[in-house]
Amino acid sequence: MPSLGLHRTVEDMRAEVAAWKADGLRVGLVPTMGALHAGHLSLIEAISKNADKVIVSIFVNPTQFAAHEDLSTYPRQEAADLAALETTKTDAVFAPTAAEMYPEGFSTAVTLDGPALGLESEERPHFFGGVALIVLKLLTQTQTDVAIFGEKDYQQLMVIRRMVADLNLPVEIMAGAIMREADGLAMSSRNVYLDAEQRKIAAQLNVILQQLANNPASAAQAEAEAKQALLEAGFTKVDYACIRDAQTLGVPDAKTVARRALIVARLGETRLLDNSPAI
Ligand code: AMP
């Protein structure tokens, strides 16, 4: 028998959280869009060490997709996701409908600056507004004490940390390490879009990322070399391959303490993201 509580409404989710909190328990949240893989499961394992009860949310958030993007084709496999979660330290699943999250008349948006500028926002200007809105809703809906986000989406993690600090949200934000396939490709729900030929090329992304991250040349030179290497490997477009300040995501300057290499390259329609600490 499944032991997971499955909640479709904010009211039901909150009732379970209220019962936990009445018992003095610490609650953790793992926000996902489903199509779960070992990367998601690693976040559950990590947060379970820092929370008494773990909620996994599954919601493919329409406000972070532009009209031309893959909202309708994004992989959805709720039954398989629930089965996978049964073997983890998940206590409850929050899987609301779009109408529950965005009822008729919904009129509120989140405006972002700082780490949300540039990189992903160049290609997807609507994206972080949608992500911040849904994360803000999930954090307040679940009233969680701690939430975890993957370093796989490094800019997203920085945007959320900034929002939580700026809005004084009473929640701790944890970061989860990037889980990879055996050949180094970062796990992603979108990897299923790759055909066999593209999947082979995709493995080069992390190889080239590591060269970029450890390139002793100037940032401009290292970035140019990485772009060239990606195109030679067979990537069809390089959205960016760059070295940034690991905190602000601006161009590194005298105040930079740590640097981060970030790449997004395309194989046909599929965008592959990866990033790594840089020297
Ligand atoms: P998604 O379902 O793709 O929106 O991702 C949900 C969460 O899982 C986000 O915090 C992602 O950063 C994280 N995540 C996605 N892929 C990985 C991965 N390969 N390793 C670790 N975390 C990941």
Side-chain angles (χ1 to χ4, degrees), residues 27-100:
V27 179
L29 173 69
V30 185
T32 82
M33 297 207 300
L36 301 179
H37 51 65
H40 298 113
L41 305 189
S42 73
L43 301 182
I44 298 168
E45 184 61 29
I47 204 170
S48 72
K49 300 192 166 73
N50 190 13
D52 303 307
K53 294 286 182 183
V54 176
I55 303 167
V56 174
S57 64
I58 298 177
F59 182 64
V60 182
N61 175 36
T63 60
Q64 70 193 65
F65 289 78
H68 65 278
E69 292 180 348
D70 58 343
L71 175 62
S72 62
T73 53
Y74 193 85
R76 288 169 174 84
Q77 45 169 65
E78 190 182 270
D81 288 346
L82 295 177
L85 291 174
E86 285 290 343
T87 64
T88 68
K89 293 177 180 149
T90 306
D91 297 286
V93 177
F94 182 40
T97 61
E100 175 73 6

Side-chain angles (χ1 to χ4, degrees), residues 90-263:
T90 306
D91 297 286
V93 177
F94 182 40
T97 61
E100 175 73 6
M101 293 306 244
Y102 299 109
E104 214 180 310
F106 192 93
S107 310
T108 301
V110 177
T111 308
L112 302 158
D113 207 322
L117 301 182
L119 302 174
E120 283 303 280
S121 296
E122 297 280 323
E123 290 296 320
R124 310 183 73 193
H126 56 280
F127 177 65
F128 285 123
V131 168
L133 179 60
I134 199 65
V135 169
L136 183 54
K137 281 175 68 74
L138 287 166
L139 295 177
T140 53
Q141 286 167 339
T142 61
Q143 299 173 329
T144 192
D145 298 295
V146 53
I148 189 164
F149 296 85
E151 287 186 341
K152 159 85 183 352
D153 300 286
Y154 189 80
Q155 188 178 11
Q156 170 173 286
L157 172 65
M158 293 300 124
V159 168
I160 289 163
R161 280 199 192 285
R162 186 75 243 177
M163 175 178 75
V164 165
D166 289 350
L167 300 183
N168 307 101
L169 301 178
V171 59
E172 178 190 345
I173 301 298
M174 290 173 66
I178 302 174
M179 295 293 286
R180 301 179 178 282
E181 305 289 353
D183 64 6
L185 177 65
M187 290 180 183
S188 166
S189 304
R190 287 188 167 104
N191 289 349
V192 297
Y193 296 155
L194 301 172
D195 65 27
E197 179 65 18
Q198 291 173 326
R199 179 62 188 78
K200 265 191 225 153
I201 298 169
Q204 290 306 303
L205 185 67
N206 188 245
V207 175
I208 296 167
L209 174 71
Q210 290 311 320
Q211 289 163 358
L212 171 62
N214 297 297
N215 193 331
S218 69
Q221 174 72 22
E223 290 169 6
E225 285 176 22
K227 265 181 204 160
Q228 168 98 9
L230 287 161
L231 294 172
E232 279 170 13
F235 288 90
T236 46
K237 182 169 181 281
V238 180
D239 285 0
Y240 53 85
C242 57
I243 302 284
R244 290 296 173 95
D245 182 297
Q247 287 304 311
T248 65
L249 293 180
V251 173
D253 60 20
K255 289 196 208 126
T256 296
V257 192
R259 307 195 318 159
R260 197 93 189 171
L262 303 106
I263 295 183

